[in-house]
Amino acid sequence: MEITDGPFMVDGFLVGHWTHPTAATGCTVVVAERPALAVADVRGGAPGTRELAVLDQGRLVQRVDAVLLSGGSAFGLAAADGVVDWLSGRGRGFPTASVPVPIVPAAVIFDLEGPTPVVPRPESGFEAAENAVPEGWISGAVGAGAGARSGKARGRGHSVRAGIGSARLAVEGGAVAALMVVNAFGDVVSAESGEELSAGGVEDALLNGGADSPPGTNTTIGVVVVEADVDRDALVRIAVAAHDGLARAIRPSHTLVDGDTIFVLSVREGHAETATLLRLTAAAQIVVARATRNSVSAAR
């Protein structure tokens, strides 16, 4: 088993980043070169999202043209408008009697600081889409990860810089790639050594009354792409496994004050045999955990 850390390429997808000149915030867009079957799974108690209901079971539209990950909290959701404009200018979108309507779900992290914080705007999302390239699956303090930090449970002053992280794993029957933005209440933990890569001691502090991060100021968001023939039910199972990977890497994860949200996409539609799906779900756990850890190590 060989895991690839970014940069790498994923067939059928482009990734673009926009980083504010102050490096305090940014946004990242994953563009599907053709409509991608998609699901979204929210496990945190404080999410900031857009266009998630359209991906629920039984909805008319279950494919997306792009997914936006952004800083700026709820203000950053406006960057999705720029991605919509960029796609519309290229004739992309769900066909209607009028014009194609681009489908761009989004999720945000809280990286606001000070009384006049900088936030991504529609033009930021447009520029991120303009920047999208096949090798945009990278790790570092860029794009949506520019203002991210981890281990925030004891306040920003005790947290460490995180960012965006990527990883990809090929298995028999396909491959899974992940792009994760880590702005977590909990500690990011190394799988190999158990070392806490962020502030350290968050779980102990929480259990002993020493965790005081303001509610709703944390979250981890990401996109997982499945390079295999899968249907929607398979993507649902892979989304569950992706969150298991998050729990492997962040302690504690999925808290009331996090907004943990993961999108799972595929442009290859079909039926995965049980053995293949088992391998893909295991791979999803591994790459999400690895990408989460890479977000901290690369940002350092």
mmCIF file of all heavy atoms in Angstrom, residues 6 17 44 54 57 78 92 106 136 155 159 166 183 187 198-199 225 239 241 245 255 260 263 265 270 287-288:
data_model
loop_
_atom_site.group_PDB
_atom_site.id
_atom_site.type_symbol
_atom_site.label_atom_id
_atom_site.label_comp_id
_atom_site.label_asym_id
_atom_site.label_seq_id
_atom_site.Cartn_x
_atom_site.Cartn_y
_atom_site.Cartn_z
ATOM 1 N N GLY A 6 0.172 15.117 -1.769
ATOM 2 C CA GLY A 6 0.143 16.069 -2.861
ATOM 3 C C GLY A 6 1.482 16.765 -3.077
ATOM 4 O O GLY A 6 2.347 16.762 -2.198
ATOM 5 N N HIS A 17 -7.024 27.439 -5.994
ATOM 6 C CA HIS A 17 -6.950 28.108 -4.701
ATOM 7 C C HIS A 17 -6.867 29.628 -4.886
ATOM 8 O O HIS A 17 -6.240 30.101 -5.827
ATOM 9 C CB HIS A 17 -5.717 27.638 -3.918
ATOM 10 C CG HIS A 17 -5.586 26.160 -3.802
ATOM 11 N ND1 HIS A 17 -6.200 25.436 -2.810
ATOM 12 C CD2 HIS A 17 -4.916 25.254 -4.563
ATOM 13 C CE1 HIS A 17 -5.913 24.145 -2.957
ATOM 14 N NE2 HIS A 17 -5.127 24.013 -4.010
ATOM 15 N N GLY A 44 -20.514 17.505 12.360
ATOM 16 C CA GLY A 44 -20.272 18.492 13.403
ATOM 17 C C GLY A 44 -21.539 19.228 13.786
ATOM 18 O O GLY A 44 -22.524 19.247 13.036
ATOM 19 N N VAL A 54 -29.883 19.821 -1.665
ATOM 20 C CA VAL A 54 -30.081 19.341 -3.026
ATOM 21 C C VAL A 54 -29.434 17.973 -3.238
ATOM 22 O O VAL A 54 -29.804 17.232 -4.155
ATOM 23 C CB VAL A 54 -29.528 20.375 -4.044
ATOM 24 C CG1 VAL A 54 -28.007 20.344 -4.081
ATOM 25 C CG2 VAL A 54 -30.096 20.150 -5.441
ATOM 26 N N GLN A 57 -31.002 12.222 -0.436
ATOM 27 C CA GLN A 57 -31.644 11.112 -1.133
ATOM 28 C C GLN A 57 -33.011 11.540 -1.664
ATOM 29 O O GLN A 57 -33.790 12.187 -0.958
ATOM 30 C CB GLN A 57 -31.816 9.932 -0.181
ATOM 31 C CG GLN A 57 -32.475 8.712 -0.791
ATOM 32 C CD GLN A 57 -31.577 8.005 -1.779
ATOM 33 O OE1 GLN A 57 -30.365 8.017 -1.631
ATOM 34 N NE2 GLN A 57 -32.155 7.378 -2.779
ATOM 35 N N ALA A 78 -20.362 33.473 0.232
ATOM 36 C CA ALA A 78 -20.564 34.335 -0.941
ATOM 37 C C ALA A 78 -19.585 34.010 -2.063
ATOM 38 O O ALA A 78 -19.865 34.273 -3.237
ATOM 39 C CB ALA A 78 -20.434 35.805 -0.541
ATOM 40 N N ARG A 92 -21.769 25.676 -18.148
ATOM 41 C CA ARG A 92 -21.926 24.540 -17.256
ATOM 42 C C ARG A 92 -23.154 24.716 -16.376
ATOM 43 O O ARG A 92 -23.513 25.830 -16.006
ATOM 44 C CB ARG A 92 -20.687 24.385 -16.361
ATOM 45 C CG ARG A 92 -19.404 23.992 -17.066
ATOM 46 C CD ARG A 92 -19.414 22.527 -17.477
ATOM 47 N NE ARG A 92 -19.726 21.655 -16.351
ATOM 48 C CZ ARG A 92 -18.829 21.196 -15.475
ATOM 49 N NH1 ARG A 92 -17.559 21.547 -15.584
ATOM 50 N NH2 ARG A 92 -19.186 20.384 -14.494
ATOM 51 N N ALA A 106 -21.193 24.205 -0.909
ATOM 52 C CA ALA A 106 -20.053 24.845 -0.252
ATOM 53 C C ALA A 106 -20.090 24.590 1.246
ATOM 54 O O ALA A 106 -21.149 24.358 1.832
ATOM 55 C CB ALA A 106 -20.057 26.349 -0.529
ATOM 56 N N GLY A 136 -3.707 20.634 -8.695
ATOM 57 C CA GLY A 136 -4.018 21.508 -7.563
ATOM 58 C C GLY A 136 -4.250 20.798 -6.251
ATOM 59 O O GLY A 136 -4.509 21.454 -5.232
ATOM 60 N N GLY A 155 -8.221 27.964 23.119
ATOM 61 C CA GLY A 155 -8.060 29.323 22.630
ATOM 62 C C GLY A 155 -7.036 29.416 21.521
ATOM 63 O O GLY A 155 -6.134 28.587 21.402
ATOM 64 N N SER A 159 -3.312 27.322 20.016
ATOM 65 C CA SER A 159 -3.473 26.481 18.832
ATOM 66 C C SER A 159 -2.230 26.581 17.953
ATOM 67 O O SER A 159 -1.333 27.387 18.198
ATOM 68 C CB SER A 159 -4.711 26.919 18.046
ATOM 69 O OG SER A 159 -4.564 28.254 17.564
ATOM 70 N N SER A 166 -3.674 17.052 1.536
ATOM 71 C CA SER A 166 -4.145 16.134 0.501
ATOM 72 C C SER A 166 -3.455 14.787 0.620
ATOM 73 O O SER A 166 -2.350 14.678 1.152
ATOM 74 C CB SER A 166 -3.894 16.723 -0.899
ATOM 75 O OG SER A 166 -2.506 16.917 -1.109
ATOM 76 N N ASN A 183 -9.482 23.093 10.786
ATOM 77 C CA ASN A 183 -9.600 24.248 11.685
ATOM 78 C C ASN A 183 -10.278 23.751 12.963
ATOM 79 O O ASN A 183 -11.338 24.202 13.349
ATOM 80 C CB ASN A 183 -10.428 25.342 11.008
ATOM 81 C CG ASN A 183 -10.338 26.678 11.700
ATOM 82 O OD1 ASN A 183 -9.257 27.221 11.896
ATOM 83 N ND2 ASN A 183 -11.482 27.230 12.080
ATOM 84 N N ASP A 187 -7.159 18.100 18.825
ATOM 85 C CA ASP A 187 -5.770 17.923 18.397
ATOM 86 C C ASP A 187 -5.696 17.026 17.171
ATOM 87 O O ASP A 187 -6.407 16.013 17.091
ATOM 88 C CB ASP A 187 -4.946 17.261 19.507
ATOM 89 C CG ASP A 187 -4.536 18.225 20.597
ATOM 90 O OD1 ASP A 187 -4.162 19.357 20.273
ATOM 91 O OD2 ASP A 187 -4.603 17.839 21.787
ATOM 92 N N SER A 198 -0.825 19.184 17.059
ATOM 93 C CA SER A 198 -1.290 20.551 17.299
ATOM 94 C C SER A 198 -1.005 20.938 18.743
ATOM 95 O O SER A 198 0.061 20.637 19.273
ATOM 96 C CB SER A 198 -2.767 20.700 16.918
ATOM 97 O OG SER A 198 -3.559 19.670 17.452
ATOM 98 N N ALA A 199 -1.928 21.578 19.413
ATOM 99 C CA ALA A 199 -1.621 22.184 20.705
ATOM 100 C C ALA A 199 -1.248 21.163 21.767
ATOM 101 O O ALA A 199 -0.392 21.393 22.614
ATOM 102 C CB ALA A 199 -2.817 23.014 21.177
ATOM 103 N N VAL A 225 -12.725 12.322 -3.408
ATOM 104 C CA VAL A 225 -13.088 11.891 -4.758
ATOM 105 C C VAL A 225 -12.800 10.406 -4.908
ATOM 106 O O VAL A 225 -11.717 9.928 -4.533
ATOM 107 C CB VAL A 225 -12.315 12.697 -5.822
ATOM 108 C CG1 VAL A 225 -12.463 12.053 -7.197
ATOM 109 C CG2 VAL A 225 -12.827 14.128 -5.868
ATOM 110 N N ALA A 239 -18.679 8.087 2.465
ATOM 111 C CA ALA A 239 -18.744 9.299 3.289
ATOM 112 C C ALA A 239 -18.683 8.952 4.777
ATOM 113 O O ALA A 239 -18.022 9.641 5.568
ATOM 114 C CB ALA A 239 -20.011 10.087 2.974
ATOM 115 N N ALA A 241 -17.211 6.336 6.039
ATOM 116 C CA ALA A 241 -15.826 5.933 6.273
ATOM 117 C C ALA A 241 -14.899 7.145 6.314
ATOM 118 O O ALA A 241 -13.939 7.171 7.098
ATOM 119 C CB ALA A 241 -15.376 4.970 5.181
ATOM 120 N N GLY A 245 -12.203 8.342 9.222
ATOM 121 C CA GLY A 245 -10.824 8.776 9.058
ATOM 122 C C GLY A 245 -10.555 10.076 9.799
ATOM 123 O O GLY A 245 -9.485 10.264 10.381
ATOM 124 N N THR A 255 -17.424 17.517 17.280
ATOM 125 C CA THR A 255 -17.984 18.067 18.507
ATOM 126 C C THR A 255 -19.129 19.034 18.201
ATOM 127 O O THR A 255 -19.361 19.418 17.051
ATOM 128 C CB THR A 255 -16.920 18.830 19.318
ATOM 129 O OG1 THR A 255 -16.632 20.078 18.673
ATOM 130 C CG2 THR A 255 -15.646 18.016 19.466
ATOM 131 N N ASP A 260 -17.918 19.878 11.187
ATOM 132 C CA ASP A 260 -17.290 18.897 10.303
ATOM 133 C C ASP A 260 -18.213 18.437 9.176
ATOM 134 O O ASP A 260 -19.272 17.848 9.425
ATOM 135 C CB ASP A 260 -16.817 17.700 11.120
ATOM 136 C CG ASP A 260 -15.804 18.090 12.189
ATOM 137 O OD1 ASP A 260 -15.135 19.120 12.019
ATOM 138 O OD2 ASP A 260 -15.693 17.361 13.193
ATOM 139 N N PHE A 263 -17.688 16.258 1.585
ATOM 140 C CA PHE A 263 -18.348 15.956 0.314
ATOM 141 C C PHE A 263 -17.624 14.768 -0.319
ATOM 142 O O PHE A 263 -16.395 14.694 -0.266
ATOM 143 C CB PHE A 263 -18.259 17.146 -0.643
ATOM 144 C CG PHE A 263 -18.906 18.404 -0.115
ATOM 145 C CD1 PHE A 263 -18.160 19.348 0.571
ATOM 146 C CD2 PHE A 263 -20.259 18.644 -0.320
ATOM 147 C CE1 PHE A 263 -18.743 20.507 1.050
ATOM 148 C CE2 PHE A 263 -20.855 19.807 0.155
ATOM 149 C CZ PHE A 263 -20.095 20.740 0.845
ATOM 150 N N LEU A 265 -17.404 12.721 -4.041
ATOM 151 C CA LEU A 265 -17.756 12.894 -5.451
ATOM 152 C C LEU A 265 -17.189 11.764 -6.303
ATOM 153 O O LEU A 265 -16.164 11.170 -5.965
ATOM 154 C CB LEU A 265 -17.179 14.208 -6.005
ATOM 155 C CG LEU A 265 -17.277 15.483 -5.177
ATOM 156 C CD1 LEU A 265 -16.590 16.628 -5.911
ATOM 157 C CD2 LEU A 265 -18.717 15.825 -4.894
ATOM 158 N N GLY A 270 -21.478 3.614 -11.670
ATOM 159 C CA GLY A 270 -21.690 2.203 -11.938
ATOM 160 C C GLY A 270 -21.914 1.472 -10.635
ATOM 161 O O GLY A 270 -22.223 2.084 -9.609
ATOM 162 N N VAL A 287 -6.996 7.905 3.662
ATOM 163 C CA VAL A 287 -6.575 9.154 3.008
ATOM 164 C C VAL A 287 -7.111 10.386 3.730
ATOM 165 O O VAL A 287 -6.433 11.428 3.764
ATOM 166 C CB VAL A 287 -6.965 9.193 1.517
ATOM 167 C CG1 VAL A 287 -6.240 8.105 0.744
ATOM 168 C CG2 VAL A 287 -8.468 9.112 1.304
ATOM 169 N N VAL A 288 -8.305 10.303 4.321
ATOM 170 C CA VAL A 288 -8.806 11.452 5.079
ATOM 171 C C VAL A 288 -7.929 11.693 6.304
ATOM 172 O O VAL A 288 -7.567 12.832 6.608
ATOM 173 C CB VAL A 288 -10.283 11.247 5.474
ATOM 174 C CG1 VAL A 288 -10.710 12.280 6.519
ATOM 175 C CG2 VAL A 288 -11.160 11.361 4.240
#
